[in-house]
């Protein structure tokens, strides 16, 4: 079967594999009411928000402060910024909270960290590979018991063990109807893909429990552009529905966002509960000069109501060599709109420069 005539997203599998020593946390910006109002007032922020930081994740804590982490282009450390405003993240002091090992596990390809606060403790979930086998990428967890993630000690809590010992990354966590979940990307043995997106319930922030189900695998041409990839899941809830975005295709200008939708009353562990959009919901734009937007997260603006899309993109289309060696994936943010039918309206990645917005 060619990549251009892949079947519709009805082919999904259930994994009954091993319990995992894993990771999870509460969803970063569970959606509240949508905010669509733009203002002619001075710029609230400018894009790119943070240069040379890919796979961005912003967690708004209960004290209202924003905590930012992302992939550094050297792939060698985990960084953290904090600000009382989204705009302030651009100039906030950046701390290195952990560095890669000089050998052995967690010695290469430090990718896609996410910071979450669960049961009074801070957790960072990230991907890493052994120094001597740099593509043997797996998911790992750090924990900090301090009230302040810039203080205390970040302790290595081990690897998230899934049903298969295969390429895996991009762990994210959320809670829904009293249950905690982990969503992540992984290569499924005996399949013609790089990664698909999986879901499992959690028994706590460090343990997977029960079956692991595949929610989406690359099937459409835009998911198979360059590489057959579904990765980088992120979850948003609003209006009785659960939305799960994911990134698809190669990490060059083909990179884009797909969307799964489920009724909030349904069993999220049943793949049949999810509907897959047949087209990307967020992609590069020649008009605005932004390309390869993806690996997003969600947060909420300072008003507590306006939903905000966080993502990375490059300001040019052509890349020389391996896209992973190009450092110019910049963190960007923009207002997330909502359509009359209650589904998210991603629009297009906005152009570089000042953005005016108010609640």
């Amino acid at each position: 079967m060619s990549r251009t005539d892949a079947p519709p997203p009805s082919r999904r599998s259930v994994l009954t594999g091993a319990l995992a020593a894993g990771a999870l946390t509460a969803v970063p910006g569970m959606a509240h009411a949508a905010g669509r109002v733009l203002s002619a007032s001075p710029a609230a922020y400018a894009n790119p928000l943070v240069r040379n930081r890919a796979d961005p994740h912003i967690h708004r804590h209960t004290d209202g402060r924003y905590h930012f982490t992302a992939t550094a282009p050297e792939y060698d450390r985990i960084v953290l910024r904090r600000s009382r405003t989204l705009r302030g993240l651009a100039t906030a002091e950046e701390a290195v909270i952990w560095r890669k090992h000089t050998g052995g596990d967690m010695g290469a390809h430090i990718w896609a960290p996410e910071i979450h606060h669960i049961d009074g403790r801070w957790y960072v979930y990230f991907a890493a590979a052994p120094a001597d086998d740099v593509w043997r990428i797996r998911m790992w967890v750090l924990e900090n018991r301090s009230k302040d993630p810039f203080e205390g000690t970040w302790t290595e809590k081990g690897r998230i063990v899934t049903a298969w010992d295969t390429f895996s990354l991009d762990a994210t966590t959320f809670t829904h109807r009293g249950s905690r979940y982990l969503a992540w990307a992984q290569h499924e043995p005996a399949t013609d893909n790089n990664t698909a997106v999986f879901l499992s319930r959690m028994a706590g922030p460090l343990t997977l429990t029960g079956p692991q189900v595949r929610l989406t695998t690359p099937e459409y041409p835009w998911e198979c552009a360059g590489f057959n990839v579904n990765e980088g899941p992120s979850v948003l809830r609003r209006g009785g529905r659960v939305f799960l975005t994911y990134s698809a295709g190669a990490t060059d200008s083909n990179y884009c966002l797909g969307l799964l939708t489920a009724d909030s009353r349904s069993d999220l562990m049943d793949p049949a509960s999810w509907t897959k959009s047949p087209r990307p919901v967020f992609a590069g734009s020649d008009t605005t000069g932004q390309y390869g937007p993806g690996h997003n997260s969600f947060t909420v603006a300072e008003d507590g109501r306006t939903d905000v899309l966080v993502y990375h993109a490059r300001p040019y289309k052509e890349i020389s060599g391996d896209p992973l060696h190009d450092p110019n994936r910049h963190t960007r943010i923009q207002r997330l709109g909502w359509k009359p039918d209650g589904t998210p309206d991603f629009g297009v990645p906005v152009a570089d420069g000042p953005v005016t917005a108010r609640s």
Side-chain angles (χ1 to χ4, degrees):
M1 182 175 294
S2 72
R3 293 177 181 177
T4 58
D5 62 358
S10 58
R11 187 187 63 206
R12 300 185 175 101
S13 69
V14 176
L15 313 183
T16 58
L19 299 182
L24 259 184
T25 167
V27 160
M30 286 291 189
H32 301 283
R36 298 180 60 87
V37 181
L38 297 183
S39 168
S41 61
Y45 61 92
N47 270 322
L49 184 71
V50 184
R51 293 182 179 274
N52 306 115
R53 294 292 179 264
D55 313 322
H57 183 260
I58 297 178
H59 164 82
R60 193 186 192 206
H61 195 42
T62 53
D63 62 4
R65 291 190 289 184
Y66 294 95
H67 295 74
F68 166 89
T69 188
T71 300
E74 297 80 11
Y75 305 145
D76 64 351
R77 65 196 185 276
I78 295 176
V79 298
L80 189 62
R81 299 186 185 198
R82 179 170 61 192
S83 173
R84 293 197 177 276
T85 65
L86 287 167
R87 176 175 58 184
L89 291 172
T91 56
E93 183 177 356
E94 187 170 272
V96 176
I97 63 170
W98 183 87
R99 291 188 183 274
K100 71 176 184 178
H101 293 185
T102 57
D105 287 339
M106 296 182 282
H109 281 158
I110 310 305
W111 285 353
E114 288 199 4
I115 184 168
H116 299 274
H117 192 258
I118 307 171
D119 299 333
R121 299 177 184 179
W122 293 94
Y123 293 90
V124 167
Y125 305 99
F126 65 102
D132 59 353
D133 192 359
V134 299
W135 292 108
R136 194 175 182 274
I137 294 171
R138 305 292 187 269
M139 300 177 291
W140 300 82
V141 189
L142 305 177
E143 180 189 72
N144 190 334
R145 299 189 179 192
S146 173
K147 291 183 179 180
D148 185 342
F150 287 83
E151 298 178 356
T153 301
W154 284 96
T155 303
E156 296 170 3
K157 302 301 290 185
R159 183 165 69 90
I160 302 176
V161 180
T162 62
W164 310 299
D165 184 19
T166 60
F167 184 95
S168 55
L169 70 170
D170 296 349
T172 191
T173 178
F174 64 99
T175 57
H176 181 64
R177 300 180 68 183
S179 294
R180 184 172 296 283
Y181 295 86
L182 183 73
W184 72 96
Q186 186 164 12
H187 172 66
E188 181 177 353
T191 61
D192 182 24
N193 67 27
N194 290 72
T195 52
V197 172
F198 296 86
L199 186 69
S200 175
R201 281 195 175 91
M202 300 293 290
L206 300 172
T207 307
L208 293 178
T209 185
Q212 301 168 35
V213 299
R214 188 210 310 150
L215 298 185
T216 174
T217 190
E219 297 162 292
Y220 295 113
W222 53 273
E223 298 178 291
C224 303
F227 292 103
N228 297 0
V229 169
N230 285 175
E231 64 183 14
S234 188
V235 172
L236 187 69
R237 297 185 300 183
R238 184 177 187 267
R241 280 180 277 193
V242 180
F243 303 99
L244 186 147
T245 55
Y246 62 93
S247 298
T251 57
D252 55 16
S253 61
N254 290 300
Y255 212 48
C256 59
L257 291 185
L259 182 68
L260 302 178
T261 304
D263 189 296
S264 62
R265 298 165 297 181
S266 66
D267 178 6
L268 300 187
M269 292 297 297
D270 181 357
S273 297
W274 297 88
T275 300
K276 183 173 181 175
S277 297
R279 292 175 294 278
V281 294
F282 194 57
S285 169
D286 289 327
T287 301
T288 62
Q290 299 300 320
Y291 300 97
H295 204 117
N296 79 290
S297 60
F298 298 102
T299 189
V300 65
E302 292 85 348
D303 63 3
R305 302 179 65 246
T306 303
D307 296 304
V308 175
L309 175 66
V310 184
Y311 63 99
H312 72 238
R314 289 187 180 91
Y316 47 84
K317 192 171 188 177
E318 300 301 324
I319 299 171
S320 177
D322 188 339
L324 289 175
H325 297 159
D326 182 293
N328 295 316
R329 293 183 292 176
H330 304 319
T331 292
R332 308 172 62 80
I333 61 173
Q334 64 191 65
R335 176 188 50 82
L336 179 70
W338 294 92
K339 299 177 182 178
D341 65 359
T343 59
D345 184 357
F346 292 86
V348 299
V350 297
D352 283 348
V355 178
T356 59
R358 63 179 174 85
S359 60

